[in-house]
Amino acid sequence: MNPGSGTLVINILSEGKAETYEGIYQCTARNERGAAISNNIVVRPSRSPLWTKEKLEPMTLQNGQPLVLPCRPPIGLPPPIIFWMDNSFQRLPQSERVSQGLNGDLYFSNVLPEDTREDYICYARFNHTQTIQQKQPISVKVISVDDLNDTIAANLSDTEFYGGKSSGERPPTFLTPEGNASNKEELRGNTLSLECIAEGLPTPIIHWRKEDGTLPANRTFYKNFRKTLQIIHVSEADSGKYQCIAKNALGVVHHTIAVTVKAAPYWIMAPRNLVLSPGEDGSLICRANGNPKPKISWLTNGVPIEIAPDDPSRKIDGDTIIFSTIQERSSAVYQCNASNEYGYLLANAFVNVLAEPPRILTSANTLYQVIANRPALLDCVFFGSPLPTIEWFKGAKGSALREDIYVLHENGTLEIPVAQKDSTGTYTCVARNKLGMAKNEVQLEIKDPTMIIKQPEYAVVQRGGTVTFECKVKHDPTLVPTVRWLKDNSELPNEDRFTVNKDHLVIADVIDHDGGTYTCVANTTLDNVSASAMLSVVAPTPTPAPIYDVPNPPFDLELTNHLDKSVQLSWTPGDNNNSPITKFIIEYEDSMHDAGLWHHLTEVPGTQTTTQLQLSPYVNYSFRVVAVNSIGSSLPSEASEQYLTKAAEPDKNPTNVEGLGSEPDNLVITWKPLSGFESNGPGLQYKVSWRQKDGDDDWTSVVVANVSKYIVSGTPTFVPYLIKVQALNDVGFAPEPAAVMGHSGEDLPMVAPGNVRVNVVNSTLAEVHWDPVPLKSIRGHLQGYRIYYWKTQSTSKRSKRHLEKKILTFQGSKTHGMLPGLEPFSHYKLNVRVVNGKGEGPASPDRVFTTPEGVPSAPSSLKIINPTLDSLTLEWEPPSHPNGILTEYTLKYQPINSTHELGPLVDIKIPANKTRWTLKNLNFSTRYKFYFYAQTSAGSGSQITEEAVTTVDEGKMAGIPPDVGAGKVQAIKPRIRNLTAAAAETSATVSWEYEGPEHVTFYIEYGVVGSKEDWRKEIVNGSRSYFGLKGLMPGTAYKVRVGAEGDSGFVSAEDVFETGPAMASRQVDIATQGWFIGLMCAVALLILILLIVCFIRRNKGGKYPVKEKEDAHADPEIQPMKEDDGTFGEYSDAEYQRPSKKGSRTPSERTVDKAGSDDSLVDYGEGVNGQFNEDGSFIGQYSGKKEKEPAEGNESSEAPSPVNAMNSFV
């Protein structure tokens, strides 16, 4: 044994005979923790014994008789490789008639005179010992019937006369295996080899099939002229009966081989090492399979566990060892042994009872550098027992990082899916178990990505000229990039003509070879980018290019060498027109079946003008040839003479064979018929066969004409059938087809689902469970279950509308489903029916359930009447959908002063039976904003808002024009002001300010001033106060009108603008001039400064549109509520969120698109084009669809209001 390695070395040359060391070896490794043992290692010496001496008599046979030449090689280890040769060491030719069997014997299906020879020699090659053994030569003489009478006496005197059968034609019989059936066993994972060798005259052809199954396509191979069937990597599924069929013109013979696949033990779950801390529980699982089922036994430290020292924390349960409250002394190496008669498996598992506080193995203060917008992975390799829990923190006092933003891997790694600049910082990994804690800090830096801001461009240069490619790189200032150039993805030529500086590649004295693709590659330690450009080199003085065209058509087509299934076609090519012919396409016409249609047959290289064409039987062929070059295809040649091939039996069967019943008592068998080209002969018909799959009946067959359907009547309902459709014509039958399975007709189900249960999840959702219907009662293919449900009445008894039934269908064998979109506080009934391909079964008894209360909708209306100096009266209508019993109303209001600042918020509770309320002790001449919503026991509903002004003190109205009024201002009158149009050459941006009630529709009309053409009209999406006009004519005066339509009427405003003049074309592109780029940069900087100043001034004061004020003054305490649990939802747009100075920026609930929250049954069940998942959850969004607004012109740079952000969200 080699020292320190455990390897055992046996030197047979110096330490005795190999037989001395034959046996089973096993290695054991021990230390203070336990002992591990290896699998059994079997050592056997190779053997190559000599051939047994025997006297071989010469054999004389009549022409056509069968013959078997035995080999019977000596038994060696490993078994020898057998082959037959002659005295000249040449392999004897083999064919369908003469072949070598798996046992080494040489089989002749029938002998011929050319089989006569005296040197049939069987050789056995022992590869391991590199020796070849030879059997004595066998002499065979084949004589004809005429010669037999003259020679039989002499042959009988000194030789053996082999056989005595007639030499005439005869049906097949099997030489091996014998009889009608045999058995074969093979081990799982090995290659299964089945052999059938038949004799007969003419020579039989062998076919294979598997009864009640198909041969695995990717694992099946045929050897020895299809006499040997091989299936590699066999498994238990390959067990079954295999049938070999020998067939010649005089008959057919079958042999069935019953194959059983046994299996040595193999792992399903091998035991794994286990690390436990004292007091913990655990288990070792050892699961193996095989045929027969292997026996599982356990060892500990190499000793059978039955005689090992007792361990009270250990319990053995078959293939599992269970540890309960384990102690440190229980550490050991356990072995699991799985054995059966075919093999042996052994696996070691170390149970290590360890108490260790956490340790972090990642180096402290490791620096990670990541490119922005890429994933960042921060490692925290840890160890401890019990297994520590891992938490990550950012910064010194940060909270634990959550998995909704970060990904916490089981190995401790923290993943930031998309690292941003603000991800930079210190991250702390903390590992804890009951024995202690460990932590480690790592640093993360986010770098800017490397970019090529000026890419090389396509260039054309004359031979001998100079060309320059530019490649300007922008990178993170802390990273050092390296820039290199490639030509055609290879290094640049090492020539002085190529000059590379910081941003340029210069190529001087360009030659033709310089043409190609040049790539600039910028690398940093973290990323790399590249950009490419083509260089084309042209001649200084171009010469006229030759005229290139498609070839002229070939001609002089000639057919020679006519055979049954082939013919030779030759032709003469036409002119290639300066482009070499790359290939010829041969097409054919079948004037018998498809006259006038040309089909692709084959293609040959452009250097070939003769080819042998493989043809199909019973086709009247004409051929033509098309030449192809790099320009295109020529016209077809003239057609060749016609050639009619001989008829033959079909070589294929119909496809797409199916069996489906149209009525409960029939079976409709359909198939795709063969085309006339595939019929191979006249009189095409089909043999249709069928029998019940699970019965013992014989096949019933009928021959039908060239149709595609046959109906079998009088069948039992929904029974599986095996079906075959075989083609035949006047010459014979096609090969035996494979059987397919079909079913007779379905009938309606007989039984309703039982034990229907309803679980109300919330006010709009219920879950239904039912017991499945027995398959025999379904009487067809189970399509699913269908729930009919309808509302009997609303609990609040407010709904008087017609109640209709709704349907949800659940696919497959599901036994539960969800009913969404229910109305709160309502009574419902439902029943369940099973559905098959024929239709629905009977309904289950109706089940009644009631939905609980929900939150109400917003009040239907809110009006403010009778304003006085210090009071306002509010009138409203109750919610259209109370969804329960209203408990009270909540009214909140607050004043808005002249600077649009919000005053204190007042909260009032109003009884549910009130529809009118008067507010007193208000400030005179003051604008108030009101928020109003209803409540049920389930929570608060959606709010409705309104604004109004108390009347003006008449004592302070001196000098105010009469039209201002003496004070009954009930609502704000709408108006549009500050209408402006910023025009460019072919576009304009129109903006305006709107004051007035919400829920208005804006539109824009515009046209050329003085033109009689109709104005164009555009609808503005949402509540935006700007719109972009495109496609305008340069230098033209336009008139624009902005209108607003709503419940309070119609208002509009007009303006006139003129587009800029058209820019004259220039010979020089000034966009590439340096002075122009500098000027544009200066203008852009100046505009940026002006925008910043305007933004600051706007925030300090200015006009405040009513629409924007409503949004700004929304009640901060009232938020939209989630329908299911009554908690407050949050609608926001993170991109535009900013803190407000006063009050809340939350928009009024009335600005939400109602279509965005309507429930739709389309999203849930197939009865309304929806689907459910297996667990009853629904597929699709439980909301309305989102539509992205199209960009319109140069939109305003002002940040959108919260209302716009809300509309974008909805």
Side-chain angles (χ1 to χ4, degrees), residues 1068-1091:
V1068 180
D1069 186 5
I1070 65 170
T1072 61
Q1073 304 299 309
W1075 63 269
F1076 180 80
I1077 296 174
L1079 177 61
M1080 291 299 100
C1081 291
V1083 171
L1085 180 61
L1086 179 60
I1087 292 174
L1088 179 61
I1089 295 173
L1090 291 176
L1091 289 175

Side-chain angles (χ1 to χ4, degrees), residues 116-176:
T116 299
R117 64 190 309 146
E118 298 179 351
D119 54 354
Y120 285 94
I121 305 173
C122 180
Y123 288 86
R125 183 174 66 207
F126 298 89
N127 285 342
H128 202 74
T129 58
Q130 299 182 353
T131 59
I132 296 178
Q133 304 289 348
Q134 172 185 338
K135 185 182 179 72
Q136 291 295 322
I138 302 175
S139 175
V140 174
K141 184 177 181 180
V142 180
I143 60 176
S144 65
V145 177
D146 296 335
D147 298 334
L148 180 61
N149 296 328
D150 299 334
T151 61
I152 190 169
N155 287 337
L156 290 174
S157 64
D158 57 1
T159 63
E160 175 189 355
F161 182 71
Y162 189 86
K165 296 181 180 179
S166 170
S167 62
E169 292 187 346
R170 60 189 180 279
T173 58
F174 284 111
L175 296 174
T176 182

Side-chain angles (χ1 to χ4, degrees), residues 606-663:
T607 58
Q608 188 174 328
T609 59
T610 300
T611 184
Q612 191 76 18
L613 303 177
Q614 300 301 316
L615 309 179
S616 295
Y618 199 57
V619 176
N620 196 14
Y621 282 98
S622 295
F623 303 98
R624 71 182 186 184
V625 182
V626 177
V628 180
N629 64 9
S630 60
I631 307 300
S633 301
S634 72
L635 295 174
S637 68
E638 294 292 333
S640 71
E641 61 179 299
Q642 291 187 341
Y643 176 50
L644 176 62
T645 54
K646 293 178 62 175
E649 67 272 6
D651 51 17
K652 62 185 298 185
N653 286 301
T655 57
N656 298 341
V657 178
E658 293 183 346
L660 298 171
S662 60
E663 298 295 336

Side-chain angles (χ1 to χ4, degrees), residues 363-384:
S363 301
N365 294 316
T366 300
L367 175 62
Y368 294 89
Q369 295 180 328
V370 177
I371 295 296
N373 297 319
R374 295 187 181 179
L377 297 173
L378 310 182
D379 293 330
C380 181
V381 182
F382 63 92
F383 178 78

